[in-house]
Amino acid sequence: MDSLRYAILGPLRLVHVQGQPLRAAKPRQLLATLLLHPNRFVSTDLIADALWENSPPRSAVANIRTYVRALRGVLQEAGLPAPIDTSAAGYSIEVGVDELDASLFETLLAEGGHLRDAGDSRHAMQVLSRAYSLWRGRPLEGLPIPAAWEGSIARLEAQHRGLVDTLLDLRLEHGDASGAAVLLSARLTDDPYDEQLWRRLVDALLAAGRVGEARAAYGKAVQTLAEELDIKPGPELEAAGARAENGRSANWPNPGIPSVRTAEPEVVQPGPMAAPELTDPQRPPSQLPLDLADFSGREEHLEQLRDLVCGRDPVRPPIAVISGAPGTGKTSLAVRLGHLVRDSFPDGQIYLDMHGATQPRDPAGALTDVLLSLNLPDFAIPADPERRSAMLRSELASRRVLIILDDVATAGQVTPLMPGTGASAVVVTSRNRLMDLAGADSLPLDTFDDGEAAELLELVAGAGRVDRTSTAAEEILTACGNLPLAIRIAGSRLAQRPDLSLRELARRLGDETSRLDELSIGELAVRTSADLSYDALSPEQARLYRLIGHFAVGVFSARALEAVASPASVRRSLDRLIEVNLVRISSVDHRGTARYRVHDLLRLHAIGVGDEEQKARAVRDVEIVLDAILNKIRRANAALNFEYFGVLEHYGPLDAPDPAPFTETDAIAWFDSERSTFVPSIRAAAQNGLHDYAWRIACAWAPYLDMRAGFDDWHGSHHQGLLSAISCGDRRGEAIMHRNLGQLALYQDDWDTAWHHLDEAARVFGEIGNRLGTGVTAVGMGTWLRERGRRDEALVQYEAAIEAFLEAGNANGEALARTAAANMWLRRDDTDTAGRYLAQAFLLAVRRVDSHREAKVRRRIAALRAQQGRSDQAVRQLRRALEIFNGMGDDHCAAYTRAELGKALVARGEVAAARKMLLDAMDIGHRLGDRSVEGQAAQQLGQLYVSTGNLDSARRTLDRAARVWQQAGNDEQAAECRRELAAFDTGVAAG
């Protein structure tokens, strides 16, 4: 054992290393976790559970990387350069069989079992005694034992108990009474209430001539049974006590300890009532269910599983766990695999349905079934489940058997069925992830990809029944959410109903209220499959599942659900829903924050389960969640140091006290982290009839969307917001949604759409007498007119906006309108009037401490200074404005500022700096889909290339500018670019 490096069969030790180099708790836990799964990749999820007991911090992934680096350094310094490998699957520590006591223990256990089966019991006893000597106490004693370790430790301890029993029999067989007494004492430490163990210990001590110790052992037995169980010794133990009192080991029933090794037993001829001798060879079991003729997809999964189960690791049998949501095809995949690799398991294929989703099967009964399948006679199967498990491990150690355990509920249900060593393999299917099944490789199943889904529909429906390129087929697959069970049901309906067209089936499945009813045929039903998982939930978990069904129209965060329960309660319930695959993790951001999703069919299932009161409670829970989201958005908005130019849905104090006020940095970070939650929340509000929350949330996060140029989210949230405002009859909400959609269309140069929404907003704001809304909308209409070349009309709108803002007492809007009006006076070359407007706007922004408005005014002041020929002051104003926009993360305004700064730098002759600014502005504008800033920057850059003689770049850039302006609908600017191109080409030709 000189080659041992690591020891876990007792306190964690680095063998032959002086002192304790691993003092930090987390790296010790990490090393222990890896050593419990040597030479296998351990997922970061399992490591996190081991280190933080299901409560990992947000930085768990980064922390684990830090601990791995620290652990590598400690091991290297200790002279133990065991490589810790990193991959997408997690982390793995590479150790040889003789370098880890647990691996050496299992190897010796298997070797001893083979020797005993071969009849060499004395040699077997020596090998097994060596295995026994490796144990120094309970595995990883002294460390906190997280739930993630319990499966592995239970497996090692079960092997140890089996070893002690085997060694005990061997030592008694070979007359080693003292050695047997040592083993019995160890067993009694774990099971001090077993009378038969006490009886055997007393007799063993007597056989060894240790009469005094035998009497003491009997006394201890009597005391233990009396104090703990309040019972007296049974007849057999009492007789052993009498023998100890008499000090005799003779003339008493043979305790099974011969003085010398007996000769081979005499062959006794069977009597007339003896069972007949079986001479026919036993056939290996072949229990695989019928393979599906139309099985399709999962090719990568099949290859991965085939490589795993057909491996030739001589020590660790392969164990695969196929997990997934109801209807993902777990059983079909396992059965297909079994048929594919049948020839690799000549000793048989065993299939057991463990009924995990209904009435989980007792592991003890399952052990009996497996042993009987291996052709063991029923009278030879031990009554004790642990002995049964040990017998199964012994049988599998010398065979090559494939065991498929279908529909497993928990790891504990199948842990006793796992082989200890040898070439057998186990494939487990479960709705649960079974992360605590020691030594198992996890293979989670998701839905099919589009190609696999279409192929399955074609196969099941029959030849010529489905045109996968048709719109109807796409709608059917979309309604099925690419769930294999749903697709199989839809295909079966088409196969059995030649009168049912694809279009009609697509129409039926398009109705969410009856979709689950349509996805049912015979005994196959998506609803029934999901019911089995739902029925296994606790009331707390079921409530959260129903809430998620109503709320999760898309991805969601755990924090959003904490309004209905404590964070710990939500986390526990969500963990369970993930474990049973009713909810999946969609993504994890750089902060370690997870986003979750639920399959659309499971969402519909969650909406439909429960009684009427539970369904109503789910809607109330959604309202509570939406109210918390809305109020948190309001709190975050209040922390922003700029005033949004628009009409907010809420003014005045917050509805509830702010328990933890945001800083501006925190507010923006929160918006960034929760951004993916808001649009689904708005859809969920509308679907649950909570339309007031739908439009209010859409409006409430508009300041953030404007700052971040979140055009896609803006579009999705406000279109639903407009429909909801109309549905609940809130005219103010309707006007706000129209104005915001008009502003978005302006940003995207969608001129017809912009005018439609702005005109509707102006009409409704006017009818309800909302002067603030009228002023905001007038600015948008002025911008539309300005960009269409109608500058006099634009100035009229800006002047009307100033008047409206003065009446409403809104200084922010007044500052913006004065800035916009100043721009029109600059176009008229009236710098004096423009200067007065800008001075008033700047003073308003500074007084309000609105840095965002200040930066926008500075941009216009820069234009004034440039027009006055004061380029140095123009550059200074633009750089300050850019600094403010960058600090706020406002890429959109920053892009315009870069374009203007580039032009100002050209005027100062700073060509290189100007080129960089203009290129950046073009890239940002292209990324944001704002063709105006992209066209403006491209046109100015083309002109710069012309002035520097870079003719090829000039031609390409001006051509791009003309195309962008054309796409933006700005014919005037597009024509100007073409004129510049024509003049440029003419000049080149003339030259």
Side-chain angles (χ1 to χ4, degrees), residues 936-953:
Q936 177 185 338
Q939 185 174 358
Q940 291 168 1
L941 183 61
Q943 293 166 351
L944 174 61
Y945 284 139
V946 170
S947 67
T948 58
N950 191 341
L951 306 185
D952 289 338
S953 296

Side-chain angles (χ1 to χ4, degrees), residues 246-474:
N246 294 329
R248 298 198 321 269
S249 60
N251 302 321
W252 49 277
N254 184 3
I257 310 175
S259 57
V260 294
R261 179 71 187 271
T262 58
E264 292 296 322
E266 180 181 353
V267 178
V268 180
Q269 295 297 324
M273 299 299 292
E277 182 179 358
L278 297 177
T279 56
D280 293 338
Q282 299 286 355
R283 293 183 178 180
S286 183
Q287 301 175 352
L288 296 176
L290 180 67
D291 190 16
L292 291 174
D294 50 16
F295 181 92
S296 69
R298 305 297 191 200
E299 295 301 325
E300 292 184 6
H301 293 92
L302 279 171
E303 287 303 313
Q304 185 178 349
L305 285 166
R306 190 206 297 262
D307 292 344
L308 174 64
V309 302
C310 294
R312 296 295 191 272
D313 188 334
V315 176
R316 291 189 175 274
I319 302 168
V321 175
I322 305 172
S323 64
T328 47
K330 302 177 290 294
T331 299
S332 301
L333 176 61
V335 171
R336 167 55 62 98
L337 170 74
H339 285 283
L340 286 177
V341 301
R342 183 178 177 184
D343 292 343
S344 299
F345 295 92
D347 296 319
Q349 308 87 43
I350 297 173
Y351 174 87
L352 279 183
D353 187 344
M354 301 301 290
H355 300 291
T358 51
Q359 294 179 327
R361 193 171 189 175
D362 178 36
L367 279 167
T368 299
D369 287 348
V370 174
L371 290 170
L372 290 174
S373 297
L374 293 174
N375 298 311
L376 271 72
D378 55 0
F379 62 80
I381 297 175
D384 178 40
E386 291 187 4
R387 296 296 298 273
R388 254 179 268 178
S389 181
M391 176 179 280
L392 176 60
R393 291 193 295 272
S394 296
E395 290 296 325
L396 294 177
S398 57
R399 306 195 198 202
R400 191 165 178 83
V401 178
L402 174 66
I403 301 175
I404 295 179
L405 303 174
D406 191 24
D407 192 17
V408 171
T410 64
Q413 189 186 18
V414 292
T415 296
L417 296 162
M418 296 298 106
T421 190
S424 293
V426 180
V427 176
V428 174
T429 75
S430 179
R431 294 168 182 239
N432 303 329
R433 292 176 178 267
L434 304 186
M435 293 174 59
D436 53 340
L437 184 59
D441 287 270
S442 178
L443 188 77
L445 291 189
D446 205 339
T447 54
F448 275 164
D449 63 32
D450 291 344
E452 291 173 325
E455 181 182 358
L456 179 60
L457 184 63
E458 287 180 334
L459 283 172
V460 178
R465 193 73 172 87
V466 174
D467 176 7
R468 69 162 66 187
T469 63
S470 67
T471 302
E474 292 178 359

Side-chain angles (χ1 to χ4, degrees), residues 854-890:
E854 174 191 336
K856 287 194 169 185
V857 177
R858 284 183 182 275
R859 282 178 51 201
R860 298 278 62 84
I861 293 174
L864 172 64
R865 298 294 178 248
Q867 197 160 330
Q868 292 171 333
R870 298 154 70 179
S871 58
D872 290 345
Q873 292 186 24
V875 167
R876 185 165 63 251
Q877 293 287 350
L878 288 169
R879 281 178 170 159
R880 177 56 185 146
L882 184 59
E883 181 183 345
I884 294 172
F885 289 136
N886 286 339
M888 291 182 168
D890 187 345

Side-chain angles (χ1 to χ4, degrees), residues 695-758:
W695 82 259
R696 288 184 182 278
I697 292 175
C699 178
W701 79 319
Y704 168 80
L705 291 174
D706 202 359
M707 181 186 71
R708 282 285 193 252
F711 294 160
D712 290 340
D713 287 337
W714 192 331
H715 183 274
S717 63
H718 279 66
H719 270 283
Q720 180 57 64
L722 176 59
L723 295 174
S724 288
I726 294 171
S727 295
C728 66
D730 195 309
R731 303 210 67 207
R732 178 170 170 271
E734 178 186 349
I736 293 173
M737 293 295 99
H738 272 304
R739 180 269 160 189
N740 289 0
L741 285 168
Q743 186 64 40
L744 172 64
L746 284 178
Y747 286 151
Q748 297 181 312
D749 307 312
D750 186 355
W751 306 109
D752 291 342
T753 300
W755 187 260
H756 163 72
H757 284 298
L758 291 171

